[in-house]
Amino acid sequence: MSIIIQDLSKTYPNGTQALRHVSLHIPTGMFGLLGANGAGKSSLMRTLATLQEPDSGSILFNGLDVLKHKQRMRQLLGYLPQEFGVYPGISAERLLHHFAALKGITRVKERQEQVKFLLHQTNLYEVRHKAVSGYSGGMRRRFGIAQALLGNPQLLIVDEPTAGLDPAERVRFLNLLSQLGENATVILSTHIVEDIAELCSNLAIMAQGQVLLTGQPQQLMNQLAGKIWMVEIPRDRLPCYQQKFQVISHKFYLGQLRLHIYSNDALTADFTPVQPDLEDVYFCAIAGLLGNQLVMSERSK
Amino acid sequence: MNTFLEVLRFELTEQLRSRSFYFYVLVCFGLSFGSINLLAGAFSDVQVAIEKVNSPYAVLVGLTALSAIALLVAAGIFSQSVCKDFEAKTADMIFSLPIQPRSLFIGRWVAATIATIWILLSLGTGYAIGEHMPWLDRENLLPFNSAGYIYVYCYFILPNLLIFSGFYFSVGLMTRRTLLVYLTGVILFIGGGILSHIFNQWTAVATSVDATGATALAHITQFWTSTQRETQLPPLTIEFLINRVLWISLSVGFISWTLYTFSIAPKFSRSTKLMGRSPQVKDLQLSLVPVHQSFDPLLQWRYVASQSWVEFQSIAGNRWFIVGLLLATLPPLLIAGSSVGLVYQTPLYPLTHLLVDQSGGLYTQLFKLLLIFLAGDMIWRDRSAQIHQLTDVLPIRNFVPLLSKYVALALIILSTLGMVMVSCLLVQTLAGFTQYEFSVYFILLFTKALPELLILAALSFFIQVAIQNLYLGYLITALLLFIVPQTAAFLKFPNILIYGNTPAAPYSQFDGFGTALTPLRAFQGYWSSWAVLLLSIAFLLWQRGEDKTWRSRLKVAIHRWNRSLRYFLIAILTTMMVMGGWIYYNTRILNPIVSERQVEISRVNYEQMFQKIGTAQPQVQDIQLRYELYPQQRRLQATGRYELQNQTKQPIQQVLINLNLDNAAQINRMALGSITQPSMNQILYISPDLPVAVRAFRLPQPLLPGEITTLDFELTWQPKRGFSEFQQSYGLTTNGTSLDGILPTISYELEAELTEPEQRSHYGLSPRPQLKTLADQLQLGDRLPPQPLVTWTVTVGTSKEQTAVVPGLLQREWREGDRHYFEYRMKQPVMFKMPLYSARYEVRRQQWQNLPIEIYYLKGHEFNVNRLIRATQASLEYYTQNFSPTPFGQVRIFELPREQYAVSLPGTIGFAEYIGFLAKVDQRNPNSIDYPSYVTAHEVAHQWWGHQLVPNLRLIGARTMNEMLSQYSALMVMEKLYGEHTIHKILEHELEGYFLERSSTPEEQPLVSSDADHVVYRKGAVAMYALKQTLGEDTLNQALAQYLQEHSITSPSAPPLPTILDLLQAIKDVTPSDRRFLISDWLENMIIYDAQAIQATAVKRSNGRYEVTFTASLQKFQTDKKGNETPIDLNPQETVEIGILGENDQWLYRQSHHLTSGENTIAIAVTQLPKQIGIDLSHHLLNRSFKNIRVTPLIVPEQIRT
């Protein structure tokens, strides 16, 4: 159940290069996609979801040429977009039935069972007769997840899935996803670094249409071991430190600025070495300090 | 397939669950139910149509019209079904499913079609059930016939649904914007209607361009009589079928193309630049930049200005909108402008007010529809873009969004009117016409049309704000703007109750708008205050935020109701009541309108009080009169004396005097002999707005036969106080005074009696003798006296720059102070008809053999003056040569404002501006006819037929004599001026006029007993010309001249009264016996023909000759009063002309043939190439297929034939 993306490129009519020679190998399991807005995550997801045609490149899903056989792909996939609307005045149950039927679940009994199961899974069973257009933001997102899961898809693409969920819902949802990840490929695109750290066996970091970094979370974090340092400074000293050091991130913390600094060499005692987390990996990748090229060159050294 | 079925099932279920679906069904049912009841007289006694309103044809027409509403609703249904994924943002979810997008859309289309079919069926159901309602008078209805229903659904409603839905669907899929789908509907409907109106003469184009098929239908049935409409359904002609096939193919093609090219990729409009790459996020300096915020209340008005501009640009900047609007206004105006006011295929000069009126006529519906759709689009924009969640939180006052949208809409209307003005200016310039009259443009477009549209826009806005559903809002506004005003006007509601209605303000270059602007402004003020009221309520109900329920909206409204609003509304309501009160005062109290019932009662009283007296009345013999006219004050005074003689055989005790009370006529003094007080005084209403004062004076001693007495009177006329809500009267005006029938008459008017037998018995009156024929009338003898023949001497004083005139020879002319005086004298006794004209005239003088010819015209209207002179000269020449010497030593023609008629009096002709002075005659266009000359010749002819030959106008056939003979004379003059070819063109127009007007006449009479315009003018012209062909010009003219000599009032001995029957005899006397049947056919019976050319071939022989084989069909019909046709055989002596025209339209062959009924094949040899072959090309038959009388032959070379 793996996806092989080769050299995917896409430029929009107004000149924006959304994807630039993107190549990825996504095995079965949870795959995280991390990146800023406009990095190309959504474009990639939409292309995988057969909603967009790339300019060049190929995608193979278990050997199936996705771009050539879109219809077949749609039979296997579930997609939860980042932003979506619903038809006004239709209940969750009816809309889910409609989508299920369109997904090819023609046997009424099977459909009923699947819809019932998913409504329970997403905690919408109590309100299944109410119109989806009247749901709160979180409920609407849960509905989106439910419809994506119809038909037990082999590839599940979820774009910002936990946005708008309260902590309990988030945990439930992530559990559900990881259960699915046992037998299917789940591509999870998010800003919430913790979600990826906790769940994903592989990840990719994208920026400006390119893949900056791929790998396993733990491995990547290990690569930074001993290279991340922390210091707390007053706010106005920031420019000074930025000049002297490789500041990869700064945060406000109790009135002071807390800086994370990347340094191959040891630093003075003011600086505290920290265990690198995925966020540090992300910032380093963005800064160009970590990358597939870099990783390669590190290995070859 | 699976996708298709599932989508179909889902969509249909949704439709059946939606409340709006049932609402539409209910509305359509209600509309059709209401319509049929309205037409059948359930709500009023108004007679709407002359035939039964549930005949298959009437059902066809009614349901086709009603289906327009349903198609409008359908636009909403289809656009919703196709755009829903894009508007509800479910596109990503749906299209990532394993479905075929094409199946999805076809499923949606089928579902929407099925839903719309249900709605359309409710139309027919409402109509059918409405027909059967027990409260309807079965007399007005035919037995139920399903044929009409089946026909209209099969050929109109369902095909139209197919056509329109295809376009709606495709446009929706392509553009994904609801507004554009509605605009498509508007363009198909209105655009088709406008174009087919403009291309009216080119049948093929006109019928093809109208997607609804209505024009094709109209063309098939345009000449149908009421009997045909009651019994038949239109046959399916080729043009109609072509229309259906063409449009269905276009629609299906369009859908196919859109589906084929559909891609789910989002639409990138060039204006939206996606932010692909986020800019490098520099490290944020987190110090906030200080800003000042100002919350000055006056700023809110600046926001209104800037927001209005934004809203305006969002619509006006949309290139589809601009293109659509330009296409809709410019080309039609340019085409139509060159043919404004067509009469006999000749347009009028493109005067400013004519062009503006024409655009109004073309575009009223379009503008109203625009208002409806734009209002909805603008009000819902923020919500549909979901931006309201941002904008509703901004610190702007509640009135800002509503007001800015309204101002933006006003700007759009303003620009559109500006475009109309530019188009009209363009038309004028291209025609080389430079009388631009900018003030008229300004007043008509920007102070009349603009406020009216703004008032309607306020209603449109109000509905959209109040109703939470865009499509429902569209439907209700459409109902309020289209259906309700029509129905209310039909039920004779006053203007004050029909939202937005204002009185008309016709313009003339004589006196501008006359007095029409005052009532116009009054109504505008009244309705503006209503508009402001509606906008204020809209403001209170304006939705800000998410609360949608009525309870929450009312709470918010109450919260918004503050003190300044209260004062504001008090001011508005006060204005409304003041204006409304003033209007009511003027229209109902100052000038009360009487009801039909009161009219009836006054007529009954008239008969009961005066009939006995009226049997013997003296005749006016001589009039001495002095008029003082003050045009600037619109005031007229008259002091006069009649000399009356008892010309009956009985003594007369009481004299009956009538005075038309129009123009606020007042009798200051009236004395008969020495009697100054009338014994009886009554007001008679001929119709609700025509009161007549009737007085009877009792003489102390009866007036013996032959005795003379006098009537002295002093009368004043002045502007009516106040205004009426309908057309203002223009008789007394500052320039172009035109008054007729204002002097007292001495008679008992038989016509004032009630005629309907049921009415008479209701009031206890004995039945009237039936006066169906001339013979019946002649039996009444003295009760129908002829008009008196009168002499007069009249002095008229008018203001110094004007010329005043009454019929008669000018004796002297002088000035006194700032007054200008004329004295006229009519020495020989003529019919008592003495109009008074006065205006600032220019004059051109000419002669014909020492007889003065004078044309008095308004400065700037010189275009056709020389034409009129030339026509007068030619007419005088022909008539004096062929009929008799001219009796009234002059011909003076006076231009009158505004109308489209001409009236001929002895020596003087009143000639309205639109019937000849403003015609733009194009000599180079063979199809355009110089009708100014035609009308002039006709009016000059009346100097013979009507003023020398003076029949009793109360007798049947009198009008026929006057008009038929004048038409004939005018035709002969036109033939001398322009040749035979022009005559054929004129006859074609007369034939068209005849058949068209006949179709709207309930009962038809033969020429000898008809009074109807289309018979005496149109049929009369064709008849006389045909008779001339048969008898020969000289023979006919001699007969007429002889008849005239025997009956003319100028003959020394007392002439017998001319009647139509003895004129008929005079003509028969000079007709050979084998042709006498023609006189009967034309004049005594109602005979029509159907003569058509079917096909022709011409074989070219080696000797250069052509052998033509021509097939034509011919059928003669006898018709009865109702228009039922019975085929009859041709008279054995009857011949029909077959003609062949060559390449230069010259006659290659022209012979009369004896043909048989049915198909005839004729073989003719000609020496040159035949271009056209036809039957009855010269229009000697009353042929209803006069448009299909010619064919182009198929030229066959000789070899192929053998």
Side-chain angles (χ1 to χ4, degrees), chain A residues 81-122:
Chain A
Q82 183 176 6
E83 246 183 43
F84 64 91
V86 286
Y87 300 140
I90 304 185
S91 73
E93 188 175 35
R94 295 196 38 208
L95 196 52
L96 223 45
H97 261 277
H98 181 47
F99 276 77
L102 291 177
K103 252 196 183 174
I105 308 176
T106 46
R107 304 210 184 151
V108 182
K109 233 169 164 265
E110 281 181 9
R111 205 157 68 213
Q112 280 172 346
E113 277 184 24
Q114 167 113 121
V115 166
K116 198 163 151 193
F117 169 71
L118 285 171
L119 285 171
H120 276 297
Q121 282 295 96
T122 50

Side-chain angles (χ1 to χ4, degrees), chain B residues 929-992:
Chain B
I929 294 176
D930 175 8
Y931 70 89
S933 298
Y934 188 36
V935 173
T936 310
H938 179 104
E939 295 305 323
V940 175
H942 273 311
Q943 305 284 302
W944 279 259
W945 316 115
H947 295 299
Q948 283 187 65
L949 190 72
V950 185
N952 181 350
L953 286 176
R954 297 192 178 99
L955 294 181
I956 291 171
R959 202 160 175 243
T960 307
M961 287 177 70
N962 286 346
E963 301 305 338
M964 189 174 75
L965 295 176
S966 301
Q967 283 285 77
Y968 164 68
S969 315
L971 278 175
M972 297 318 297
V973 172
M974 289 298 276
E975 193 172 44
K976 295 287 175 284
L977 285 176
Y978 289 105
E980 205 189 3
H981 180 73
T982 305
I983 299 296
H984 296 159
K985 288 271 166 241
I986 296 181
L987 289 177
E988 252 175 55
H989 283 290
E990 303 293 10
L991 281 169
E992 176 149 19

Side-chain angles (χ1 to χ4, degrees), chain B residues 617-621 643-647 703 706-709:
Chain B
Q617 286 295 309
Q619 297 270 45
V620 182
Q621 289 223 296
E643 187 183 273
L644 306 171
Q645 187 188 46
N646 182 350
Q647 290 175 358
L703 192 70
E707 258 198 273
I708 292 182
T709 180

Side-chain angles (χ1 to χ4, degrees), chain B residues 631-669:
Chain B
Q632 294 313 314
Q633 296 145 38
R634 297 169 52 234
R635 197 159 58 85
L636 174 66
Q637 279 169 303
T639 317
R641 164 175 286 201
Y642 287 176
E643 187 183 273
L644 306 171
Q645 187 188 46
N646 182 350
Q647 290 175 358
T648 70
K649 299 193 185 67
Q650 317 152 35
I652 297 173
Q653 189 76 46
Q654 292 199 64
V655 177
L656 200 55
I657 300 171
N658 313 303
L659 181 72
N660 191 330
L661 288 177
D662 234 6
N663 285 307
Q666 269 180 334
I667 304 177
N668 296 344
R669 189 171 65 88

